[in-house]
Amino acid sequence: MIQFERLHKSYQVGERTVSALQPLDLTIQRGEVFGIIGHSGAGKSTLIRLINRLEEPSGGRLVIDGQDVTALDSDGLRALRRRIGMIFQHFNLLSSRTVAGNVAFPLELAGTPADAVQARVAALLETVGLAAHADKYPAQLSGGQKQRVGIARALATDPQILLCDEATSALDPQTTASVLSLLSRINRELGLTIVLITHEMDVIRRVCDRVAVLDAGELVETGPVTEVFLHPGHPTTRRFVSESEHVDEGELHRDFAAVGGRIVRLTFLGGDTYEPLLGRIARTTGVDYNILSGRIDRIKDTPYGQLIVSLVGGDLEAAQAAFIAAGVHVEELRR
């Protein structure tokens, strides 16, 4: 659906050229929820704004649904933007318009007949759960309700792509969960391609199919969320994962000094997450175990478990081989 070909962006600051986004190649598939994560200044906002050309690229090529976006004239660009919805961190609602008026605004700009506008607005407010709030003004809404208005407005012109620019950063955890659930439902029911930028790995874990990690304008890691989240390869990705799990890897490794045996990280995925493999293998191999750290949760719809355990006594090699044979990923942290 979206293809970046050596796309990059730089700015001129006085006599200096500052690179906001280094040349990158990236493909976003039709109908997936694609996450882009990075710290402040990593280039993620620049990247998402290049998709609808709110930022002009300095070079490279961007192709959307087979169309070279970088070659579009002003008329072509207007047509493109009608196919791309966008929701923002701070909602960007018009305070002088009601909820219904905010959702109707892009339809009015597009010249949609009034009766069609009314029907479309009613349907969208039903979709986002705000049908009872149509006549309220933004000042009368909670943060989560404001973001739902923003989502409905972004969907007004029936886009093929939805861009989410830190859409949950201004919300509390419970409201964040409800908004992410809404985005997942919209993705399933409408088949929208959603591109979501965030600095929170937990947001990526909950809703995204694949993820790209940016660091100082460079694409440092990309892949399925299950792979990137559970087996991060780049130091920046590992920091994001540790922060999301509230684990200090440095402290954890220091604690290893007080623990005997072989220390391994066991990663379970899918149905294996709920199988009593640890106890079963311990009994058959005579190995004792001590759980040092662990978590069982979900990556989108896929259950996973990740445990750091020390294995003592018995047949350690047979225990490790049994985990691998059962489909568990085993990473030795200390032999």
Side-chain angles (χ1 to χ4, degrees), residues 251-294:
E251 288 185 4
L252 190 61
H253 280 270
R254 285 194 294 274
D255 291 342
F256 291 171
V259 179
R262 181 179 301 181
I263 298 178
V264 296
R265 180 184 279 116
L266 305 175
T267 302
F268 307 81
L269 197 61
D272 289 342
T273 303
Y274 304 119
E275 291 293 320
L277 289 171
L278 192 54
R280 185 185 305 157
I281 291 172
R283 286 192 299 273
T284 58
T285 60
V287 169
D288 289 325
Y289 64 88
N290 183 22
I291 299 175
L292 307 178
S293 174

Side-chain angles (χ1 to χ4, degrees), residues 34-37 44-45 48 164-167 195-199:
F34 191 93
I36 299 169
I37 190 169
K44 57 188 186 296
S45 291
I48 202 170
C164 303
D165 188 356
E166 296 276 13
V195 183
L196 182 152
I197 68 169
T198 183
H199 61 275

Side-chain angles (χ1 to χ4, degrees), residues 55-335:
E55 292 279 1
E56 289 294 330
S58 300
R61 191 166 174 258
L62 173 65
V63 179
I64 295 180
D65 201 17
Q67 183 178 40
D68 185 353
V69 171
T70 46
L72 292 177
D73 59 16
S74 57
D75 289 338
L77 192 54
R78 278 193 295 273
L80 170 76
R81 287 173 177 162
R82 282 195 291 271
R83 296 160 51 203
I84 300 176
M86 192 164 187
I87 59 177
F88 304 89
Q89 178 180 358
H90 297 296
F91 321 128
N92 289 7
L93 302 181
L94 299 170
S95 60
S96 61
R97 279 183 168 242
T98 63
V99 167
N102 270 278
V103 177
F105 191 55
L107 294 167
E108 294 168 0
L109 291 178
T112 307
D115 56 345
V117 169
Q118 188 175 1
R120 179 68 174 155
V121 169
L124 287 168
L125 291 181
E126 189 69 38
T127 296
V128 300
L130 292 178
H133 301 275
D135 296 326
K136 290 184 178 179
Y137 288 86
Q140 299 172 285
L141 304 177
S142 68
Q145 289 170 332
K146 290 176 183 177
Q147 194 56 284
R148 286 171 180 266
V149 177
I151 293 170
R153 181 185 57 190
L155 297 175
T157 56
D158 197 21
Q160 296 173 298
I161 298 169
L162 183 62
L163 307 180
C164 303
D165 188 356
E166 296 276 13
T168 60
S169 294
L171 306 176
D172 62 78
Q174 185 175 352
T175 307
T176 292
S178 70
V179 169
L180 293 178
S181 177
L182 174 60
L183 290 174
S184 290
R185 179 163 62 84
I186 288 169
N187 169 251
R188 289 193 308 271
E189 294 178 358
L190 303 181
L192 278 179
T193 302
I194 298 180
V195 183
L196 182 152
I197 68 169
T198 183
H199 61 275
E200 300 174 272
M201 198 67 179
D202 201 48
V203 170
I204 298 292
R205 178 182 63 82
R206 292 188 191 193
V207 296
C208 294
D209 300 297
R210 293 192 302 133
V211 62
V213 184
L214 294 180
D215 184 32
E218 181 183 2
L219 177 64
V220 296
E221 192 163 0
T222 186
V225 175
T226 50
E227 181 65 28
V228 173
F229 185 84
L230 295 176
H231 311 294
H234 192 272
T236 297
T237 315
R238 289 197 291 271
R239 283 196 298 272
F240 276 121
V241 172
S242 295
E243 289 166 5
S244 74
E245 297 189 327
H246 308 291
V247 172
D248 186 319
E249 288 286 342
E251 288 185 4
L252 190 61
H253 280 270
R254 285 194 294 274
D255 291 342
F256 291 171
V259 179
R262 181 179 301 181
I263 298 178
V264 296
R265 180 184 279 116
L266 305 175
T267 302
F268 307 81
L269 197 61
D272 289 342
T273 303
Y274 304 119
E275 291 293 320
L277 289 171
L278 192 54
R280 185 185 305 157
I281 291 172
R283 286 192 299 273
T284 58
T285 60
V287 169
D288 289 325
Y289 64 88
N290 183 22
I291 299 175
L292 307 178
S293 174
R295 180 176 185 176
I296 295 175
D297 213 320
R298 284 180 173 267
I299 296 175
K300 200 169 184 179
D301 299 322
T302 304
Y304 77 94
Q306 199 163 57
L307 304 176
I308 296 178
V309 300
S310 66
L311 304 175
V312 182
D315 192 338
L316 295 177
E317 299 303 328
Q320 196 157 316
F323 281 120
I324 294 171
V328 178
H329 183 275
V330 180
E331 178 187 357
E332 288 190 4
L333 303 180
R334 189 186 71 194
R335 191 165 181 83

